[in-house]
Amino acid sequence: MVEQAYLKKISDFDNKSLLIVDDDNPFRERLARAMEKKGFEVLQAESVKKGIQSVKDKQPGFAVVDLRLADGNGLEVVKQIQNSDSNSRIIMLTGYGNIPTAVAAIKEGAIDYLAKPADADDVEKALLADPEKKAEPPENPMSADRVKWEHIHRVFELCNRNVSETARRLKMHRRTLQRILSKRSPR
């Protein structure tokens, strides 16, 4: 049996409120329901503006914030939470993971940085983990093929679904990119 590396259980915290800021509505709703079952008092926001307003209305003890939101950068919400209460435990959650954004998130006060798709168990472990101990590796990490596929699709979307521009930025042949885009995502 795997040893649990939790600092505490959610019942040990005075402030059990969890703010989830994500513009992916189905994902946010699923995560909110799962975290409520785990004992958190969940607040939801789908934008930077609504996330900041939620922080002003009720200071959360925990937060899961998506990096890229429709109206801006989730780091703005992290800054607001840290300005309100530096003891809040914040997780950055994103499908656009890279080292510079992870460093920026940690500098702003996030305690961990998880790549989507993360499940409620991963989020709970990250929120309640002992900050003095090294984090355990994820149970089901994305395969290297899946990470590559996600990156290519992210760049494709950022290039407004323009195959030629995406291929140029990724330094690959356009036809190779078209073949990759026509296939299903790897597991």
Side-chain angles (χ1 to χ4, degrees):
M1 194 160 156
V2 177
E3 177 186 334
Q4 298 291 334
Y6 292 162
L7 174 64
K8 296 181 178 182
K9 298 212 179 291
I10 184 61
S11 58
D12 295 336
F13 286 88
D14 293 332
N15 186 353
K16 297 176 182 74
S17 63
L18 167 66
L19 174 62
I20 300 174
V21 183
D22 198 315
D23 55 0
D24 180 349
N25 292 333
F27 172 78
R28 189 183 68 245
E29 291 289 332
R30 267 192 324 273
L31 183 60
R33 282 192 306 271
M35 298 309 284
E36 284 174 347
K37 289 178 183 175
K38 293 179 178 294
F40 290 90
E41 298 164 5
V42 179
L43 309 165
Q44 296 183 50
E46 66 272 359
S47 65
V48 171
K49 184 177 179 181
K50 289 182 179 181
I52 289 173
Q53 187 58 48
S54 294
V55 172
K56 290 177 181 177
D57 293 344
K58 178 175 175 146
Q59 174 57 46
F62 302 91
V64 177
V65 182
D66 191 11
L67 180 64
R68 290 201 182 180
L69 298 164
D71 65 340
N73 193 317
L75 289 174
E76 297 301 317
V77 179
V78 173
K79 288 179 192 175
Q80 182 68 37
I81 294 169
Q82 282 297 303
N83 289 341
S84 300
D85 180 5
S86 61
N87 293 324
S88 292
R89 299 177 63 84
I90 307 164
I91 302 297
M92 286 302 296
L93 186 64
T94 185
Y96 307 101
N98 61 36
I99 292 171
T101 55
V103 170
I106 300 302
K107 283 184 178 180
E108 292 299 334
I111 60 170
D112 207 342
Y113 190 89
L114 299 176
K116 284 182 178 178
D119 65 12
D121 292 334
D122 292 338
V123 171
E124 181 187 32
K125 284 179 187 176
L127 288 171
L128 301 177
D130 185 342
E132 303 298 319
K133 292 184 180 175
K134 186 176 176 182
E136 292 181 24
E139 287 289 323
N140 298 312
M142 282 193 281
S143 68
D145 288 337
R146 176 67 186 211
V147 172
K148 177 183 171 186
W149 189 86
E150 293 282 343
H151 175 69
I152 289 169
H153 275 269
R154 178 179 62 87
V155 174
F156 182 58
E157 291 296 326
L158 291 173
C159 292
N160 296 318
R161 303 179 68 81
N162 182 320
V163 174
S164 297
E165 178 64 15
T166 304
R168 185 185 67 74
R169 289 182 185 239
L170 292 173
K171 297 177 178 55
M172 66 177 16
H173 196 277
R174 185 178 55 77
R175 287 188 182 153
T176 303
L177 177 60
Q178 285 175 314
R179 279 193 298 274
I180 291 170
L181 293 172
S182 70
K183 293 181 181 176
R184 289 184 170 202
S185 66
R187 292 280 166 198

PDB file of all heavy atoms in Angstrom, residues 59-95:
ATOM      1  N   GLN A  59     -12.422  34.827   0.853  1.00  0.00           N
ATOM      2  CA  GLN A  59     -11.037  34.380   0.715  1.00  0.00           C
ATOM      3  C   GLN A  59     -10.970  32.857   0.815  1.00  0.00           C
ATOM      4  O   GLN A  59     -11.298  32.294   1.848  1.00  0.00           O
ATOM      5  CB  GLN A  59     -10.180  35.015   1.820  1.00  0.00           C
ATOM      6  CG  GLN A  59      -8.755  34.517   1.859  1.00  0.00           C
ATOM      7  CD  GLN A  59      -8.011  34.706   0.560  1.00  0.00           C
ATOM      8  OE1 GLN A  59      -8.062  35.764  -0.039  1.00  0.00           O
ATOM      9  NE2 GLN A  59      -7.330  33.675   0.109  1.00  0.00           N
ATOM     10  N   PRO A  60     -10.570  32.177  -0.269  1.00  0.00           N
ATOM     11  CA  PRO A  60     -10.510  30.716  -0.217  1.00  0.00           C
ATOM     12  C   PRO A  60      -9.249  30.225   0.508  1.00  0.00           C
ATOM     13  O   PRO A  60      -8.201  30.863   0.452  1.00  0.00           O
ATOM     14  CB  PRO A  60     -10.463  30.319  -1.697  1.00  0.00           C
ATOM     15  CG  PRO A  60      -9.801  31.471  -2.368  1.00  0.00           C
ATOM     16  CD  PRO A  60     -10.226  32.695  -1.597  1.00  0.00           C
ATOM     17  N   GLY A  61      -9.376  29.089   1.161  1.00  0.00           N
ATOM     18  CA  GLY A  61      -8.223  28.455   1.785  1.00  0.00           C
ATOM     19  C   GLY A  61      -7.420  27.677   0.762  1.00  0.00           C
ATOM     20  O   GLY A  61      -6.226  27.431   0.945  1.00  0.00           O
ATOM     21  N   PHE A  62      -8.094  27.287  -0.335  1.00  0.00           N
ATOM     22  CA  PHE A  62      -7.475  26.503  -1.400  1.00  0.00           C
ATOM     23  C   PHE A  62      -7.947  27.053  -2.739  1.00  0.00           C
ATOM     24  O   PHE A  62      -9.034  27.622  -2.826  1.00  0.00           O
ATOM     25  CB  PHE A  62      -7.905  25.029  -1.303  1.00  0.00           C
ATOM     26  CG  PHE A  62      -7.579  24.382   0.006  1.00  0.00           C
ATOM     27  CD1 PHE A  62      -8.487  24.402   1.048  1.00  0.00           C
ATOM     28  CD2 PHE A  62      -6.358  23.745   0.193  1.00  0.00           C
ATOM     29  CE1 PHE A  62      -8.197  23.805   2.256  1.00  0.00           C
ATOM     30  CE2 PHE A  62      -6.055  23.149   1.397  1.00  0.00           C
ATOM     31  CZ  PHE A  62      -6.969  23.168   2.434  1.00  0.00           C
ATOM     32  N   ALA A  63      -7.130  26.835  -3.768  1.00  0.00           N
ATOM     33  CA  ALA A  63      -7.539  27.265  -5.107  1.00  0.00           C
ATOM     34  C   ALA A  63      -6.895  26.381  -6.161  1.00  0.00           C
ATOM     35  O   ALA A  63      -5.758  25.935  -6.004  1.00  0.00           O
ATOM     36  CB  ALA A  63      -7.156  28.719  -5.352  1.00  0.00           C
ATOM     37  N   VAL A  64      -7.657  26.132  -7.219  1.00  0.00           N
ATOM     38  CA  VAL A  64      -7.166  25.460  -8.417  1.00  0.00           C
ATOM     39  C   VAL A  64      -7.456  26.430  -9.547  1.00  0.00           C
ATOM     40  O   VAL A  64      -8.615  26.735  -9.826  1.00  0.00           O
ATOM     41  CB  VAL A  64      -7.882  24.112  -8.650  1.00  0.00           C
ATOM     42  CG1 VAL A  64      -7.407  23.485  -9.945  1.00  0.00           C
ATOM     43  CG2 VAL A  64      -7.670  23.181  -7.475  1.00  0.00           C
ATOM     44  N   VAL A  65      -6.389  26.936 -10.171  1.00  0.00           N
ATOM     45  CA  VAL A  65      -6.540  27.998 -11.154  1.00  0.00           C
ATOM     46  C   VAL A  65      -5.925  27.567 -12.479  1.00  0.00           C
ATOM     47  O   VAL A  65      -4.764  27.158 -12.528  1.00  0.00           O
ATOM     48  CB  VAL A  65      -5.859  29.301 -10.662  1.00  0.00           C
ATOM     49  CG1 VAL A  65      -6.066  30.422 -11.657  1.00  0.00           C
ATOM     50  CG2 VAL A  65      -6.383  29.697  -9.287  1.00  0.00           C
ATOM     51  N   ASP A  66      -6.712  27.669 -13.545  1.00  0.00           N
ATOM     52  CA  ASP A  66      -6.219  27.378 -14.887  1.00  0.00           C
ATOM     53  C   ASP A  66      -5.332  28.542 -15.321  1.00  0.00           C
ATOM     54  O   ASP A  66      -5.623  29.705 -15.011  1.00  0.00           O
ATOM     55  CB  ASP A  66      -7.392  27.211 -15.850  1.00  0.00           C
ATOM     56  CG  ASP A  66      -6.990  26.656 -17.204  1.00  0.00           C
ATOM     57  OD1 ASP A  66      -5.837  26.199 -17.351  1.00  0.00           O
ATOM     58  OD2 ASP A  66      -7.832  26.675 -18.113  1.00  0.00           O
ATOM     59  N   LEU A  67      -4.262  28.240 -16.022  1.00  0.00           N
ATOM     60  CA  LEU A  67      -3.328  29.278 -16.450  1.00  0.00           C
ATOM     61  C   LEU A  67      -3.939  30.169 -17.532  1.00  0.00           C
ATOM     62  O   LEU A  67      -3.920  31.389 -17.421  1.00  0.00           O
ATOM     63  CB  LEU A  67      -2.033  28.647 -16.967  1.00  0.00           C
ATOM     64  CG  LEU A  67      -0.978  29.629 -17.446  1.00  0.00           C
ATOM     65  CD1 LEU A  67      -0.490  30.500 -16.303  1.00  0.00           C
ATOM     66  CD2 LEU A  67       0.178  28.889 -18.078  1.00  0.00           C
ATOM     67  N   ARG A  68      -4.503  29.557 -18.563  1.00  0.00           N
ATOM     68  CA  ARG A  68      -5.058  30.337 -19.671  1.00  0.00           C
ATOM     69  C   ARG A  68      -6.570  30.363 -19.579  1.00  0.00           C
ATOM     70  O   ARG A  68      -7.221  29.335 -19.669  1.00  0.00           O
ATOM     71  CB  ARG A  68      -4.642  29.741 -20.999  1.00  0.00           C
ATOM     72  CG  ARG A  68      -3.179  29.946 -21.245  1.00  0.00           C
ATOM     73  CD  ARG A  68      -2.881  29.822 -22.688  1.00  0.00           C
ATOM     74  NE  ARG A  68      -1.445  29.994 -22.854  1.00  0.00           N
ATOM     75  CZ  ARG A  68      -0.842  29.950 -23.994  1.00  0.00           C
ATOM     76  NH1 ARG A  68      -1.527  29.732 -25.079  1.00  0.00           N
ATOM     77  NH2 ARG A  68       0.449  30.124 -24.066  1.00  0.00           N
ATOM     78  N   LEU A  69      -7.070  31.567 -19.427  1.00  0.00           N
ATOM     79  CA  LEU A  69      -8.511  31.772 -19.356  1.00  0.00           C
ATOM     80  C   LEU A  69      -8.915  32.684 -20.511  1.00  0.00           C
ATOM     81  O   LEU A  69      -8.071  33.390 -21.079  1.00  0.00           O
ATOM     82  CB  LEU A  69      -8.887  32.383 -18.007  1.00  0.00           C
ATOM     83  CG  LEU A  69      -8.551  31.491 -16.801  1.00  0.00           C
ATOM     84  CD1 LEU A  69      -8.575  32.302 -15.518  1.00  0.00           C
ATOM     85  CD2 LEU A  69      -9.519  30.330 -16.723  1.00  0.00           C
ATOM     86  N   ALA A  70     -10.184  32.681 -20.842  1.00  0.00           N
ATOM     87  CA  ALA A  70     -10.668  33.445 -21.998  1.00  0.00           C
ATOM     88  C   ALA A  70     -10.338  34.931 -21.892  1.00  0.00           C
ATOM     89  O   ALA A  70     -10.036  35.572 -22.895  1.00  0.00           O
ATOM     90  CB  ALA A  70     -12.173  33.246 -22.158  1.00  0.00           C
ATOM     91  N   ASP A  71     -10.367  35.483 -20.673  1.00  0.00           N
ATOM     92  CA  ASP A  71     -10.147  36.921 -20.518  1.00  0.00           C
ATOM     93  C   ASP A  71      -8.779  37.276 -19.938  1.00  0.00           C
ATOM     94  O   ASP A  71      -8.566  38.397 -19.496  1.00  0.00           O
ATOM     95  CB  ASP A  71     -11.250  37.536 -19.672  1.00  0.00           C
ATOM     96  CG  ASP A  71     -11.257  37.041 -18.233  1.00  0.00           C
ATOM     97  OD1 ASP A  71     -10.682  35.957 -17.967  1.00  0.00           O
ATOM     98  OD2 ASP A  71     -11.820  37.731 -17.369  1.00  0.00           O
ATOM     99  N   GLY A  72      -7.846  36.320 -19.918  1.00  0.00           N
ATOM    100  CA  GLY A  72      -6.509  36.667 -19.429  1.00  0.00           C
ATOM    101  C   GLY A  72      -5.762  35.488 -18.837  1.00  0.00           C
ATOM    102  O   GLY A  72      -6.048  34.326 -19.126  1.00  0.00           O
ATOM    103  N   ASN A  73      -4.829  35.820 -17.961  1.00  0.00           N
ATOM    104  CA  ASN A  73      -3.916  34.861 -17.378  1.00  0.00           C
ATOM    105  C   ASN A  73      -4.331  34.535 -15.942  1.00  0.00           C
ATOM    106  O   ASN A  73      -4.560  35.444 -15.137  1.00  0.00           O
ATOM    107  CB  ASN A  73      -2.504  35.452 -17.400  1.00  0.00           C
ATOM    108  CG  ASN A  73      -1.440  34.448 -17.114  1.00  0.00           C
ATOM    109  OD1 ASN A  73      -1.583  33.618 -16.221  1.00  0.00           O
ATOM    110  ND2 ASN A  73      -0.355  34.516 -17.856  1.00  0.00           N
ATOM    111  N   GLY A  74      -4.398  33.260 -15.610  1.00  0.00           N
ATOM    112  CA  GLY A  74      -4.773  32.827 -14.267  1.00  0.00           C
ATOM    113  C   GLY A  74      -3.814  33.288 -13.186  1.00  0.00           C
ATOM    114  O   GLY A  74      -4.159  33.300 -11.997  1.00  0.00           O
ATOM    115  N   LEU A  75      -2.590  33.687 -13.566  1.00  0.00           N
ATOM    116  CA  LEU A  75      -1.639  34.192 -12.570  1.00  0.00           C
ATOM    117  C   LEU A  75      -2.168  35.448 -11.872  1.00  0.00           C
ATOM    118  O   LEU A  75      -1.794  35.723 -10.733  1.00  0.00           O
ATOM    119  CB  LEU A  75      -0.279  34.474 -13.214  1.00  0.00           C
ATOM    120  CG  LEU A  75       0.523  33.246 -13.632  1.00  0.00           C
ATOM    121  CD1 LEU A  75       1.771  33.653 -14.393  1.00  0.00           C
ATOM    122  CD2 LEU A  75       0.883  32.385 -12.441  1.00  0.00           C
ATOM    123  N   GLU A  76      -3.043  36.190 -12.551  1.00  0.00           N
ATOM    124  CA  GLU A  76      -3.651  37.371 -11.921  1.00  0.00           C
ATOM    125  C   GLU A  76      -4.512  36.965 -10.726  1.00  0.00           C
ATOM    126  O   GLU A  76      -4.532  37.643  -9.703  1.00  0.00           O
ATOM    127  CB  GLU A  76      -4.487  38.158 -12.939  1.00  0.00           C
ATOM    128  CG  GLU A  76      -3.684  38.728 -14.082  1.00  0.00           C
ATOM    129  CD  GLU A  76      -2.589  39.676 -13.624  1.00  0.00           C
ATOM    130  OE1 GLU A  76      -2.844  40.508 -12.730  1.00  0.00           O
ATOM    131  OE2 GLU A  76      -1.464  39.576 -14.156  1.00  0.00           O
ATOM    132  N   VAL A  77      -5.222  35.859 -10.870  1.00  0.00           N
ATOM    133  CA  VAL A  77      -6.047  35.350  -9.759  1.00  0.00           C
ATOM    134  C   VAL A  77      -5.139  34.872  -8.624  1.00  0.00           C
ATOM    135  O   VAL A  77      -5.406  35.128  -7.451  1.00  0.00           O
ATOM    136  CB  VAL A  77      -6.981  34.213 -10.238  1.00  0.00           C
ATOM    137  CG1 VAL A  77      -7.814  33.679  -9.082  1.00  0.00           C
ATOM    138  CG2 VAL A  77      -7.883  34.692 -11.360  1.00  0.00           C
ATOM    139  N   VAL A  78      -4.042  34.201  -8.983  1.00  0.00           N
ATOM    140  CA  VAL A  78      -3.089  33.733  -7.966  1.00  0.00           C
ATOM    141  C   VAL A  78      -2.542  34.919  -7.177  1.00  0.00           C
ATOM    142  O   VAL A  78      -2.469  34.869  -5.939  1.00  0.00           O
ATOM    143  CB  VAL A  78      -1.939  32.926  -8.621  1.00  0.00           C
ATOM    144  CG1 VAL A  78      -0.863  32.580  -7.604  1.00  0.00           C
ATOM    145  CG2 VAL A  78      -2.472  31.660  -9.264  1.00  0.00           C
ATOM    146  N   LYS A  79      -2.177  36.002  -7.866  1.00  0.00           N
ATOM    147  CA  LYS A  79      -1.670  37.215  -7.192  1.00  0.00           C
ATOM    148  C   LYS A  79      -2.708  37.762  -6.210  1.00  0.00           C
ATOM    149  O   LYS A  79      -2.375  38.133  -5.084  1.00  0.00           O
ATOM    150  CB  LYS A  79      -1.326  38.302  -8.210  1.00  0.00           C
ATOM    151  CG  LYS A  79      -0.091  38.033  -9.009  1.00  0.00           C
ATOM    152  CD  LYS A  79       0.125  39.169 -10.006  1.00  0.00           C
ATOM    153  CE  LYS A  79       1.170  38.807 -11.030  1.00  0.00           C
ATOM    154  NZ  LYS A  79       1.313  39.851 -12.061  1.00  0.00           N
ATOM    155  N   GLN A  80      -3.965  37.812  -6.646  1.00  0.00           N
ATOM    156  CA  GLN A  80      -5.037  38.337  -5.792  1.00  0.00           C
ATOM    157  C   GLN A  80      -5.215  37.473  -4.548  1.00  0.00           C
ATOM    158  O   GLN A  80      -5.378  37.985  -3.445  1.00  0.00           O
ATOM    159  CB  GLN A  80      -6.350  38.410  -6.576  1.00  0.00           C
ATOM    160  CG  GLN A  80      -7.502  38.991  -5.798  1.00  0.00           C
ATOM    161  CD  GLN A  80      -7.315  40.470  -5.497  1.00  0.00           C
ATOM    162  OE1 GLN A  80      -6.794  41.216  -6.309  1.00  0.00           O
ATOM    163  NE2 GLN A  80      -7.726  40.892  -4.312  1.00  0.00           N
ATOM    164  N   ILE A  81      -5.173  36.161  -4.719  1.00  0.00           N
ATOM    165  CA  ILE A  81      -5.314  35.254  -3.584  1.00  0.00           C
ATOM    166  C   ILE A  81      -4.153  35.450  -2.608  1.00  0.00           C
ATOM    167  O   ILE A  81      -4.354  35.539  -1.392  1.00  0.00           O
ATOM    168  CB  ILE A  81      -5.390  33.782  -4.047  1.00  0.00           C
ATOM    169  CG1 ILE A  81      -6.671  33.541  -4.849  1.00  0.00           C
ATOM    170  CG2 ILE A  81      -5.327  32.828  -2.856  1.00  0.00           C
ATOM    171  CD1 ILE A  81      -6.711  32.207  -5.574  1.00  0.00           C
ATOM    172  N   GLN A  82      -2.935  35.533  -3.127  1.00  0.00           N
ATOM    173  CA  GLN A  82      -1.762  35.711  -2.273  1.00  0.00           C
ATOM    174  C   GLN A  82      -1.794  37.052  -1.551  1.00  0.00           C
ATOM    175  O   GLN A  82      -1.365  37.147  -0.403  1.00  0.00           O
ATOM    176  CB  GLN A  82      -0.474  35.575  -3.091  1.00  0.00           C
ATOM    177  CG  GLN A  82      -0.114  34.149  -3.399  1.00  0.00           C
ATOM    178  CD  GLN A  82       0.160  33.347  -2.137  1.00  0.00           C
ATOM    179  OE1 GLN A  82       1.012  33.689  -1.335  1.00  0.00           O
ATOM    180  NE2 GLN A  82      -0.594  32.284  -1.960  1.00  0.00           N
ATOM    181  N   ASN A  83      -2.291  38.102  -2.210  1.00  0.00           N
ATOM    182  CA  ASN A  83      -2.409  39.410  -1.566  1.00  0.00           C
ATOM    183  C   ASN A  83      -3.428  39.378  -0.431  1.00  0.00           C
ATOM    184  O   ASN A  83      -3.273  40.077   0.563  1.00  0.00           O
ATOM    185  CB  ASN A  83      -2.795  40.484  -2.579  1.00  0.00           C
ATOM    186  CG  ASN A  83      -1.662  40.808  -3.522  1.00  0.00           C
ATOM    187  OD1 ASN A  83      -0.496  40.528  -3.250  1.00  0.00           O
ATOM    188  ND2 ASN A  83      -1.990  41.386  -4.667  1.00  0.00           N
ATOM    189  N   SER A  84      -4.474  38.563  -0.586  1.00  0.00           N
ATOM    190  CA  SER A  84      -5.519  38.462   0.434  1.00  0.00           C
ATOM    191  C   SER A  84      -5.097  37.580   1.599  1.00  0.00           C
ATOM    192  O   SER A  84      -5.366  37.888   2.745  1.00  0.00           O
ATOM    193  CB  SER A  84      -6.808  37.908  -0.175  1.00  0.00           C
ATOM    194  OG  SER A  84      -7.262  38.740  -1.191  1.00  0.00           O
ATOM    195  N   ASP A  85      -4.463  36.438   1.293  1.00  0.00           N
ATOM    196  CA  ASP A  85      -4.050  35.495   2.337  1.00  0.00           C
ATOM    197  C   ASP A  85      -2.897  34.645   1.805  1.00  0.00           C
ATOM    198  O   ASP A  85      -3.102  33.771   0.978  1.00  0.00           O
ATOM    199  CB  ASP A  85      -5.224  34.593   2.733  1.00  0.00           C
ATOM    200  CG  ASP A  85      -4.865  33.581   3.811  1.00  0.00           C
ATOM    201  OD1 ASP A  85      -3.732  33.624   4.340  1.00  0.00           O
ATOM    202  OD2 ASP A  85      -5.717  32.731   4.121  1.00  0.00           O
ATOM    203  N   SER A  86      -1.719  34.903   2.321  1.00  0.00           N
ATOM    204  CA  SER A  86      -0.536  34.190   1.824  1.00  0.00           C
ATOM    205  C   SER A  86      -0.487  32.739   2.276  1.00  0.00           C
ATOM    206  O   SER A  86       0.358  31.975   1.825  1.00  0.00           O
ATOM    207  CB  SER A  86       0.739  34.915   2.267  1.00  0.00           C
ATOM    208  OG  SER A  86       0.809  34.944   3.674  1.00  0.00           O
ATOM    209  N   ASN A  87      -1.406  32.320   3.165  1.00  0.00           N
ATOM    210  CA  ASN A  87      -1.446  30.926   3.609  1.00  0.00           C
ATOM    211  C   ASN A  87      -2.321  30.038   2.730  1.00  0.00           C
ATOM    212  O   ASN A  87      -2.385  28.836   2.954  1.00  0.00           O
ATOM    213  CB  ASN A  87      -1.935  30.846   5.063  1.00  0.00           C
ATOM    214  CG  ASN A  87      -0.940  31.453   6.015  1.00  0.00           C
ATOM    215  OD1 ASN A  87       0.266  31.348   5.820  1.00  0.00           O
ATOM    216  ND2 ASN A  87      -1.434  32.127   7.042  1.00  0.00           N
ATOM    217  N   SER A  88      -3.003  30.629   1.756  1.00  0.00           N
ATOM    218  CA  SER A  88      -3.837  29.832   0.851  1.00  0.00           C
ATOM    219  C   SER A  88      -2.954  28.887   0.055  1.00  0.00           C
ATOM    220  O   SER A  88      -1.836  29.218  -0.318  1.00  0.00           O
ATOM    221  CB  SER A  88      -4.602  30.738  -0.115  1.00  0.00           C
ATOM    222  OG  SER A  88      -5.557  31.492   0.576  1.00  0.00           O
ATOM    223  N   ARG A  89      -3.482  27.702  -0.194  1.00  0.00           N
ATOM    224  CA  ARG A  89      -2.746  26.684  -0.951  1.00  0.00           C
ATOM    225  C   ARG A  89      -3.315  26.663  -2.364  1.00  0.00           C
ATOM    226  O   ARG A  89      -4.472  26.318  -2.562  1.00  0.00           O
ATOM    227  CB  ARG A  89      -2.866  25.341  -0.256  1.00  0.00           C
ATOM    228  CG  ARG A  89      -2.275  25.394   1.162  1.00  0.00           C
ATOM    229  CD  ARG A  89      -2.438  24.114   1.931  1.00  0.00           C
ATOM    230  NE  ARG A  89      -1.755  22.988   1.342  1.00  0.00           N
ATOM    231  CZ  ARG A  89      -0.463  22.698   1.520  1.00  0.00           C
ATOM    232  NH1 ARG A  89       0.287  23.481   2.257  1.00  0.00           N
ATOM    233  NH2 ARG A  89       0.066  21.633   0.964  1.00  0.00           N
ATOM    234  N   ILE A  90      -2.471  27.035  -3.356  1.00  0.00           N
ATOM    235  CA  ILE A  90      -2.920  27.229  -4.732  1.00  0.00           C
ATOM    236  C   ILE A  90      -2.214  26.259  -5.666  1.00  0.00           C
ATOM    237  O   ILE A  90      -0.998  26.084  -5.585  1.00  0.00           O
ATOM    238  CB  ILE A  90      -2.618  28.672  -5.194  1.00  0.00           C
ATOM    239  CG1 ILE A  90      -3.198  29.683  -4.202  1.00  0.00           C
ATOM    240  CG2 ILE A  90      -3.151  28.909  -6.603  1.00  0.00           C
ATOM    241  CD1 ILE A  90      -2.639  31.076  -4.356  1.00  0.00           C
ATOM    242  N   ILE A  91      -3.002  25.661  -6.552  1.00  0.00           N
ATOM    243  CA  ILE A  91      -2.485  24.772  -7.584  1.00  0.00           C
ATOM    244  C   ILE A  91      -2.766  25.417  -8.940  1.00  0.00           C
ATOM    245  O   ILE A  91      -3.895  25.829  -9.212  1.00  0.00           O
ATOM    246  CB  ILE A  91      -3.199  23.397  -7.546  1.00  0.00           C
ATOM    247  CG1 ILE A  91      -3.041  22.728  -6.193  1.00  0.00           C
ATOM    248  CG2 ILE A  91      -2.704  22.500  -8.678  1.00  0.00           C
ATOM    249  CD1 ILE A  91      -1.647  22.398  -5.814  1.00  0.00           C
ATOM    250  N   MET A  92      -1.748  25.504  -9.789  1.00  0.00           N
ATOM    251  CA  MET A  92      -1.960  25.930 -11.170  1.00  0.00           C
ATOM    252  C   MET A  92      -2.266  24.678 -11.972  1.00  0.00           C
ATOM    253  O   MET A  92      -1.581  23.666 -11.843  1.00  0.00           O
ATOM    254  CB  MET A  92      -0.714  26.605 -11.755  1.00  0.00           C
ATOM    255  CG  MET A  92      -0.442  27.999 -11.232  1.00  0.00           C
ATOM    256  SD  MET A  92      -1.762  29.212 -11.490  1.00  0.00           S
ATOM    257  CE  MET A  92      -1.844  29.327 -13.251  1.00  0.00           C
ATOM    258  N   LEU A  93      -3.285  24.761 -12.788  1.00  0.00           N
ATOM    259  CA  LEU A  93      -3.719  23.625 -13.592  1.00  0.00           C
ATOM    260  C   LEU A  93      -3.817  24.094 -15.039  1.00  0.00           C
ATOM    261  O   LEU A  93      -4.497  25.091 -15.309  1.00  0.00           O
ATOM    262  CB  LEU A  93      -5.080  23.156 -13.095  1.00  0.00           C
ATOM    263  CG  LEU A  93      -5.661  21.901 -13.679  1.00  0.00           C
ATOM    264  CD1 LEU A  93      -4.783  20.696 -13.338  1.00  0.00           C
ATOM    265  CD2 LEU A  93      -7.055  21.680 -13.137  1.00  0.00           C
ATOM    266  N   THR A  94      -3.134  23.409 -15.946  1.00  0.00           N
ATOM    267  CA  THR A  94      -3.154  23.874 -17.317  1.00  0.00           C
ATOM    268  C   THR A  94      -2.831  22.781 -18.310  1.00  0.00           C
ATOM    269  O   THR A  94      -2.184  21.806 -17.970  1.00  0.00           O
ATOM    270  CB  THR A  94      -2.166  25.045 -17.510  1.00  0.00           C
ATOM    271  OG1 THR A  94      -2.287  25.550 -18.824  1.00  0.00           O
ATOM    272  CG2 THR A  94      -0.746  24.606 -17.255  1.00  0.00           C
ATOM    273  N   GLY A  95      -3.301  22.957 -19.502  1.00  0.00           N
ATOM    274  CA  GLY A  95      -2.963  22.066 -20.597  1.00  0.00           C
ATOM    275  C   GLY A  95      -1.771  22.584 -21.371  1.00  0.00           C
ATOM    276  O   GLY A  95      -1.336  21.990 -22.335  1.00  0.00           O
TER     277      GLY A  95
END
